[in-house]
Amino acid sequence: MSSVDTVRPVAEPTFEGSATTVQPTPRREWVFESTGSSARDEEPFAGARGMGGSTEKPPPNLDGPIRLRAIVRALFRAAHDETFHDGMESAFSRGVCLLVETEGTAAVEVIGELMTESPRHSEAASEALRWLGWVEDRPTYAARLWLIEKSLQHPSPRVRDAAGIGISAMADPHAIPPLKAAIARETVAELRDDLKQVLSEIEGLDSCPT
Amino acid sequence: MPYLMRSSRRSRWYPEAVQPWLPPNEPPADCLSDLETEHNELSVWLIDDDRANLERVVAALASKRQSLVPFDCRLVPIGRVRQLRLQLSQTPGDSHDHEANQLWHRDLQFLSAGRLTSLSRCLWRRGESRRFSPAQVRKLLIAGIQQGRLNRDDLRPELAFKLNLD
């Protein structure tokens, strides 16, 4: 049985999806809800699950980075129940973008931590990277670019491909050295070609007269 | 020989990414995420043997998206699919290019789970992946609009914004 998780505080703005809902409040309070639990849920805040519909346990007091980590973990867990389609938003991508916009650099850092935590997160990590490149949020720009560049070294080719797509979206010449390094060590031929294509496009932009 | 094309996520089909536990010539199960059926039918597109209509079909499909991202697809010679004895019917497509919808859209019909698995093997063993970069997709979309095959008003606002059409 899979769990369908909801991370939901109380106020606008609201972004709703089929499996996951993420809503921030002005005070950035977040509530966890879930319709069930599964064997793969092993985070230390398992008590946060099973709330929502049932009221078996009171909500835990989650503060600061620990609270943020639990939110991101719930997002990643819910992503297991989604199928992602290129170029189309998902409940997960909306949640990731909203978290970054509301929680800032700290959210990017926690997303980065979870991406490397388990191979199980590869699909969600890949989806997160694809959208992190598109987020229109100046304050987190450097952190997002750093995470995307770092993900070029991820063990999963799927995640490395998404990192290339994220870099393509950001089109930042600062990514050229890590991109060149990634091309040099890439073992998947198709991925290496795609990274070369991204590199040539960014170098082309970089050499354009302004 | 013409091809059948199915949009896909290229990284799900990397041959080098197979796991040691995977039997030889078997696609990873994640490939099935790209073969999502509806009413036991799978939407595919007929591509000319010289691939002259490939870019137009790519633009047609990309025009339905929300963002400007790479367009990945899997191409397989139609003869390979015919060997599976699957029912292939001409049906209207759902893209914003209405002529392309009529000319080149096909549905693989009456698909059982077993037949879909056979198709995934065929795509894995006999197919090839193609990627169009966001810059290429952008060019194709703009060309489609300029040549009247796509209507900019049909595009989602987020995508139209990324194309800088204003």
Side-chain angles (χ1 to χ4, degrees):
Chain A
M1 184 176 67
S2 65
S3 63
V4 178
D5 300 281
T6 304
V7 186
R8 183 169 61 81
V10 204
E12 297 294 332
T14 302
F15 291 78
E16 292 193 350
S18 57
T20 309
T21 305
V22 182
Q23 299 173 312
T25 65
R27 292 186 298 118
R28 295 182 182 175
E29 294 287 337
W30 300 77
V31 173
F32 287 77
E33 291 183 357
S34 173
T35 56
S37 62
S38 70
R40 64 180 176 225
D41 301 330
E42 295 141 5
E43 79 281 359
F45 306 104
R49 288 179 279 107
M51 291 161 36
S54 78
T55 52
E56 295 165 2
K57 295 179 181 177
N61 182 16
L62 304 172
D63 293 312
I66 296 175
R67 176 187 60 97
L68 188 55
R69 193 167 288 115
I71 293 167
V72 175
R73 194 181 295 277
L75 263 179
F76 271 66
R77 197 174 55 232
H80 287 267
D81 296 318
E82 282 197 88
T83 300
F84 302 119
H85 300 282
D86 288 350
M88 301 301 288
E89 286 182 357
S90 62
F92 175 75
S93 69
R94 283 191 293 271
V96 165
C97 295
L98 190 59
L99 255 185
V100 169
E101 287 164 0
T102 55
E103 301 287 337
T105 300
V108 179
E109 289 170 0
V110 173
I111 289 168
E113 284 174 26
L114 281 196
M115 278 173 41
T116 54
E117 189 183 76
S118 162
R120 235 176 35 214
H121 293 325
S122 291
E123 186 77 4
S126 160
E127 190 67 10
L129 289 169
R130 286 165 177 257
W131 287 92
L132 283 176
W134 281 112
V135 176
E136 302 276 356
D137 186 56
R138 239 19 241 183
T140 57
Y141 183 90
R144 287 184 287 117
L145 182 61
W146 173 82
L147 175 59
I148 292 172
E149 287 175 358
K150 185 181 154 207
S151 301
L152 289 168
Q153 301 177 49
H154 196 280
S156 163
R158 197 176 296 184
V159 176
R160 298 199 296 275
D161 175 52
I165 292 169
I167 285 176
S168 169
M170 297 183 91
D172 190 322
H174 290 106
I176 289 175
L179 204 44
K180 284 182 173 173
I183 290 166
R185 67 174 170 264
E186 185 53 63
T187 54
V188 178
E190 290 177 10
L191 176 50
R192 191 166 54 244
D193 291 343
D194 293 337
L195 293 176
K196 283 179 183 172
Q197 172 77 23
V198 173
L199 176 64
S200 73
E201 288 178 3
I202 295 178
E203 284 181 331
L205 290 172
D206 197 27
S207 62
C208 281
T210 53
Chain B
M1 180 180 288
Y3 298 83
L4 288 184
M5 184 270 262
R6 169 76 187 174
S7 66
S8 62
R9 186 167 276 195
R10 184 165 158 100
S11 58
R12 290 185 179 127
W13 298 82
Y14 287 150
E16 296 94 334
V18 296
Q19 304 294 317
W21 50 263
L22 206 59
N25 285 324
E26 279 287 297
D30 285 358
C31 291
L32 293 173
S33 299
D34 288 330
L35 304 178
E36 198 175 343
T37 57
E38 195 172 341
H39 304 302
N40 305 307
E41 296 177 355
L42 186 75
S43 170
V44 293
W45 294 79
L46 184 67
I47 302 299
D48 299 336
D49 47 8
D50 61 358
R51 305 187 186 195
N53 63 336
L54 177 59
E55 291 187 345
R56 181 165 172 186
V57 171
V58 168
L61 289 169
S63 70
K64 295 278 288 186
R65 293 179 166 181
Q66 290 173 298
S67 62
L68 199 55
V69 295
F71 184 93
D72 296 345
C73 61
R74 196 87 182 156
L75 288 158
V76 64
I78 194 169
R80 297 292 185 180
V81 178
R82 287 205 173 112
Q83 288 174 353
L84 302 175
R85 300 179 186 279
L86 301 179
Q87 171 91 26
L88 185 67
S89 301
Q90 184 164 2
T91 56
D94 186 34
S95 80
H96 287 317
D97 184 334
H98 303 297
E99 192 180 36
N101 289 343
Q102 297 301 323
L103 288 175
W104 299 309
H105 184 261
R106 302 287 185 273
D107 270 324
L108 286 164
Q109 299 177 316
F110 308 113
L111 289 172
S112 65
R115 286 173 177 167
L116 190 66
T117 306
S118 298
L119 178 67
S120 72
R121 283 196 194 100
C122 177
L123 286 166
W124 176 258
R125 296 172 188 172
R126 309 295 182 189
E128 62 175 286
S129 286
R130 276 292 309 270
R131 166 167 290 182
F132 292 81
S133 73
Q136 291 170 320
V137 172
R138 184 173 184 277
K139 276 183 192 167
L140 294 175
L141 286 170
I142 290 174
I145 292 166
Q146 288 172 342
Q147 291 161 17
R149 298 192 297 254
L150 297 171
N151 183 342
R152 55 171 292 173
D153 294 334
D154 289 336
L155 305 186
R156 293 172 194 260
E158 316 91 287
L159 180 61
F161 175 76
K162 290 291 181 189
L163 294 177
N164 292 322
L165 289 174
D166 294 324

